[in-house]
Amino acid sequence: MNSLPFVSVVMPVYNAEQYLNEAIDSILLQSYSNFELIIINDGSTDKSRDIISVYQDKRIKLLNNDQNQGIVYSLNRGIENSRGKYIVRMDSDDISYPERIEKQVCFMEAHADIGICAGLTETFGAYIERSSLPLRNPEEVKCSLLFDTAIAHPTVIMRAELLNKHHLRYQNYIAEDYIMWVSALGHCKLSVLPEVILKYRVTGNNLTAMLNKKETLKRETYLKAYDIMLRRCGMEASVDDRTLQYYFDSGRLEGKDVGALIKHLKRVLEANVKSRYFDDRVLKDIIGKRWIAYIRRNRQYKFLLSVFTMYGIRYILSRKTSIY
């Protein structure tokens, strides 16, 4: 009788023929071997299905959608068909480092309180992003989820028991991972393995997607996530205030709106003093880190004389490194 795989790698594929071999090979050549690779072919119209079919590795489990259903449907189908204790995410154009799964499994086995663990990425391709200060612990991840997805989706490993016990599945939002992490945060801690475990490919399509009409839908997703997080913190925020927070996070807040944002952030800190949902110092650190990054990116130096600047400097000095 065959034993069940310890890890299920879930990889949605849609018209990925250009990079698909590299992605699949990076999983099959892992130092850790007790896994199944669930590939969900989401109605591809290129040669993706043919490329997958060439592989004879018994660890590959191919699921074909009759038509293009989208990444949320495909991810959930992969989860439903997984048999491992852990579910590892993988995208069809990225490259996992050879010891990625081994390192993540070891981390999760040693930290029973962590439900989801991500890792660091190395970007390559059409655009190379400057590296930022990586998050160090679950509390920093938690506070960062007040602003954005916090962790890199293609790097995560998740406990299958957690997902099934609390009926956690991806929902139909543009930033499907953000809502997933916020939902999971109600049941577990999220952490980051402080090592680069994946090469994240940035293509022209990635850049276009960030600029097209999906931006409105993405903003709506973020505002919903903000609402959940802020309510946990003990406050209600208007759509206008949450929109300020969104543009602040993306670095596109106009100078004339900074004053309103300051009032909003101070309200968040005041609410947290009462609710104690976030660690007070860590929350200030994360806000300060983002505050200085915003000022530098937009050259809004007139706002340097702020308590948030002090929080940011304190955080950066504690890391003994540059902001970039």
Side-chain angles (χ1 to χ4, degrees):
M1 180 177 179
N2 293 330
S3 59
L4 294 176
F6 202 62
V7 174
S8 297
V9 181
V10 175
M11 177 194 292
V13 172
Y14 178 67
N15 289 351
E17 62 178 7
Q18 187 174 1
Y19 309 115
L20 187 54
N21 281 123
E22 289 181 277
I24 293 176
D25 290 345
S26 75
I27 295 299
L28 297 181
L29 296 175
Q30 288 286 303
S31 60
Y32 185 92
S33 60
N34 187 13
F35 64 83
E36 61 179 349
L37 172 55
I38 302 175
I39 302 177
I40 308 92
N41 175 36
D42 191 21
S44 295
T45 57
D46 65 357
K47 296 180 181 179
S48 292
R49 183 169 181 173
D50 294 336
I51 291 172
I52 300 166
S53 298
V54 169
Y55 287 89
Q56 298 301 310
D57 195 304
K58 294 182 180 179
R59 293 172 296 180
I60 293 179
K61 182 177 182 180
L62 175 60
L63 305 175
N64 287 297
N65 294 340
D66 293 335
Q67 59 185 2
N68 181 242
Q69 299 281 0
I71 189 170
V72 169
Y73 176 90
S74 297
L75 285 173
N76 288 337
R77 187 180 182 193
I79 291 172
E80 293 293 340
N81 283 273
S82 64
R83 298 176 295 160
K85 176 179 179 179
Y86 296 110
I87 295 174
V88 166
R89 273 283 290 114
M90 180 65 188
D91 280 345
S92 58
D93 56 355
D94 295 333
I95 300 173
S96 283
Y97 277 35
E99 296 181 348
R100 173 202 172 169
I101 296 178
E102 180 180 0
K103 289 179 177 180
Q104 288 191 290
V105 168
C106 287
F107 180 87
M108 295 296 279
E109 288 290 283
H111 298 83
D113 60 329
I114 303 298
I116 298 174
C117 174
L120 306 184
T121 64
E122 172 191 351
T123 60
F124 72 110
Y127 171 75
I128 305 301
E129 185 180 42
R130 287 178 172 179
S131 61
S132 59
L133 298 177
L135 302 175
R136 295 177 293 186
N137 53 57
E139 192 61 36
E140 287 193 359
V141 174
K142 180 179 179 180
C143 291
S144 294
L145 282 170
L146 181 58
F147 294 94
D148 63 19
T149 57
I151 58 178
H153 191 188
T155 69
V156 299
I157 181 171
M158 304 176 281
R159 295 186 188 275
E161 181 181 16
L162 168 76
L163 302 187
N164 294 327
K165 178 179 179 180
H166 300 289
H167 308 290
L168 294 173
R169 292 295 186 268
Y170 291 94
Q171 300 179 44
N172 284 311
Y173 294 98
I174 291 296
E176 74 283 342
D177 54 331
Y178 195 2
I179 297 298
M180 175 65 117
W181 311 151
V182 169
S183 299
L185 187 61
H187 308 286
C188 72
K189 294 179 181 179
L190 284 70
S191 190
V192 177
L193 186 68
E195 295 186 48
V196 176
I197 59 173
L198 179 134
K199 295 180 71 174
Y200 178 76
R201 190 188 306 271
V202 181
T203 66
N205 291 334
N206 296 131
L207 298 176
T208 300
M210 290 188 291
L211 299 173
N212 67 14
K213 63 182 180 180
K214 293 183 179 180
E215 165 66 19
T216 299
L217 296 176
K218 177 185 175 183
R219 182 171 66 246
E220 291 176 357
T221 302
Y222 271 57
L223 296 193
K224 177 178 176 59
Y226 292 167
D227 187 48
I228 295 172
M229 294 296 289
L230 289 169
R231 287 178 184 275
R232 289 175 180 172
C233 182
M235 69 172 285
E236 295 185 17
S238 67
V239 172
D240 288 343
D241 283 343
R242 284 181 280 136
T243 301
L244 289 173
Q245 187 173 318
Y246 175 78
Y247 285 119
F248 168 64
D249 172 69
S250 62
R252 292 175 289 165
L253 184 73
E254 296 184 13
K256 64 181 179 62
D257 294 322
V258 171
L261 173 73
I262 290 174
K263 292 181 180 179
H264 170 64
L265 294 178
K266 286 183 176 180
R267 284 186 60 217
V268 173
L269 292 175
E270 291 169 359
N272 188 62
V273 169
K274 297 178 181 179
S275 69
R276 297 183 180 180
Y277 179 69
F278 299 107
D279 179 280
D280 183 67
R281 174 161 181 148
V282 176
L283 179 59
K284 290 175 179 176
D285 284 347
I286 294 301
I287 290 176
K289 168 188 172 182
R290 292 172 179 275
W291 181 260
I292 291 181
Y294 168 78
I295 288 176
R296 293 189 64 175
R297 181 189 302 176
N298 296 276
R299 299 185 178 182
Q300 296 284 354
Y301 301 119
K302 61 183 178 181
F303 297 112
L304 275 172
L305 296 178
S306 165
V307 66
F308 301 132
T309 302
M310 181 189 72
Y311 298 151
I313 293 173
R314 180 184 67 186
Y315 179 71
I316 294 167
L317 291 177
S318 74
R319 300 299 297 270
K320 298 181 181 179
T321 185
S322 165
I323 191 170
Y324 293 124

